[in-house]
Amino acid sequence: ISDKAISELIKLLKDENKTVVREAICAMYRLGLRAAEAVSALKEIIDSEGPIMRAAAVEALCSVLKDTDEKAERLGKTLSADEDDYVRLLAVSRLENLAPEGEVAIPALLEAIDDDYRCVRLLAIDVLALFGEKASSAIPALLQKLSSSIPLEQEAAVKALEKISSDGEACRVQVEALLNDKTEMVRKAAQSCIESWSKEESIQHTA
């Protein structure tokens, strides 16, 4: 496809016919980096259209943007501001694909662990873990999640702390308290986390 044809497709992103716009968005996704000039129009769609169109535009924007931090920043904004559960879940799932790069989105992920939608909360915790020590600012919030009434959140928080806090010094006491938790998967996660920290400490002492 020629550059001129791509330019014509980009113009269709502002067409009054929504079906035409959807098709143009799909074309941008398939074109990837060749459609870099579509960034501005796709951002406008994300900021103004309905949830289905916004979700499609998020996917297309991730395809046409080359810079990882720019992708992460845009996804972080969508995660923080979009009112639709599915669109926010899509944003956090695309951030999962970028991690451990794209740490500019860590503040948005930190907000998302208190999202109204449980799936967004859980995935945000998992993605924070992928950043390792880069996400150390999330430790206080993750420690609060250890007392959640939802075992899945407790388990996810323990596993994230294991990756983010390498020696466990800041949170060992709180994690050890979960060794007596009523839920087996939480107990197992806590045991695995403590063993991992202990192994790391042993390596450091012998180094």
Side-chain angles (χ1 to χ4, degrees):
I1 183 170
S2 67
D3 291 342
K4 183 178 179 180
I6 292 173
S7 295
E8 292 302 314
L9 282 170
I10 291 173
K11 291 178 183 178
L12 295 178
L13 291 171
K14 297 186 178 182
D15 197 275
E16 293 183 0
N17 186 315
K18 300 303 181 184
T19 300
V20 172
V21 175
R22 282 197 297 271
E23 292 298 323
I25 293 172
C26 290
M28 297 305 104
Y29 175 82
R30 292 192 296 270
L31 286 166
L33 298 179
R34 293 191 64 196
E37 292 181 7
V39 168
S40 179
L42 289 170
K43 286 181 177 179
E44 288 182 18
I45 292 170
I46 293 171
D47 291 336
S48 62
E49 293 291 346
I52 294 175
M53 204 84 83
R54 293 199 305 273
V58 166
E59 293 274 34
L61 194 60
C62 287
S63 179
V64 305
L65 283 173
K66 182 177 182 179
D67 185 76
T68 299
D69 283 342
E70 191 174 357
K71 287 183 187 181
E73 183 178 8
R74 181 68 247 188
L75 289 168
K77 287 180 179 178
T78 298
L79 178 57
S80 295
D82 203 281
E83 62 186 20
D84 186 81
D85 292 346
Y86 172 75
V87 178
R88 294 196 309 280
L89 184 60
L90 174 65
V92 74
S93 69
R94 294 301 171 262
L95 285 170
E96 182 179 24
N97 295 339
L98 297 180
E101 296 184 26
E103 59 263 34
V104 67
I106 287 175
L109 287 165
L110 187 50
E111 289 180 15
I113 69 174
D114 290 319
D115 194 274
D116 291 338
Y117 186 34
R118 183 186 298 183
C119 291
V120 172
R121 294 199 303 270
L122 290 170
L123 188 52
I125 294 172
D126 290 344
V127 177
L128 281 168
L130 297 177
F131 286 100
E133 293 184 5
K134 292 179 183 178
S136 59
S137 59
I139 289 176
L142 291 171
L143 287 173
Q144 291 184 356
K145 288 292 179 182
L146 298 183
S147 58
S148 170
S149 60
I150 302 171
L152 283 172
E153 285 191 10
Q154 291 176 288
E155 180 191 36
V158 170
K159 290 181 176 180
L161 287 167
E162 180 181 342
K163 300 286 182 60
I164 294 170
S165 180
S166 60
D167 60 4
E169 182 178 349
C171 37
R172 182 181 292 271
V173 173
Q174 292 94 321
V175 173
E176 285 180 342
L178 295 179
L179 292 172
N180 297 315
D181 193 86
K182 63 183 179 180
T183 306
E184 182 181 9
M185 67 180 183
V186 175
R187 295 196 302 272
K188 286 184 175 180
Q191 183 64 46
S192 175
C193 180
I194 291 167
E195 288 175 358
S196 176
W197 285 337
S198 297
K199 185 181 295 184
E200 182 66 26
E201 289 172 359
S202 177
I203 292 172
Q204 291 176 356
H205 288 157
T206 57

